[in-house]
Amino acid sequence: MWAMKVHGGPFQTAGVPDIVGVYQGRFFGIEVKAPGGKATVLQLLTIAAIRRAGGLAGIAFRVEDVECLLDLPGYKPRSSAVPAEQTTSDPKSST
């Protein structure tokens, strides 16, 4: 596996997931949120674009969400893992 943390800032493209990488030959993007946090519309659009391109992408509130997203061995999914339908009214809000 290869992964890196993407640091946001004025020279960074908005909406790029916080962590990007390759796992078992497949690109992934993970947007990390604190419990109760909301993804921006732009973040949700980026997650959808990654999925349409064949990558893995989602929102993680805890380590178990990442395990579910990457389908790691031994992980038992929970119904609340990686909610993709999350929305917010402010597309410019940050992580």
Side-chain angles (χ1 to χ4, degrees):
M1 178 186 333
W2 173 85
M4 68 175 276
K5 165 72 174 106
V6 177
H7 297 278
F11 302 107
Q12 173 63 41
T13 302
V16 174
D18 295 314
I19 301 170
V20 296
V22 177
Y23 176 66
Q24 295 183 346
R26 197 163 176 196
F27 179 84
F28 68 85
I30 300 170
E31 183 61 40
V32 179
K33 296 292 179 192
K38 299 257 185 202
T40 66
V41 170
L42 188 53
Q43 290 167 334
L44 293 172
L45 290 172
T46 302
I47 287 169
I50 291 169
R51 289 177 178 175
R52 279 193 310 275
L56 302 168
I59 302 164
F61 296 92
R62 56 189 191 277
V63 172
E64 291 84 6
D65 296 338
V66 176
E67 293 170 335
C68 179
L69 177 70
L70 298 180
D71 195 26
L72 296 177
Y75 176 71
K76 295 181 170 86
R78 298 179 189 177
S79 61
S80 64
V82 194
E85 301 79 29
Q86 196 181 67
T87 60
T88 182
S89 59
D90 181 7
K92 294 184 179 179
S93 68
S94 61
T95 307

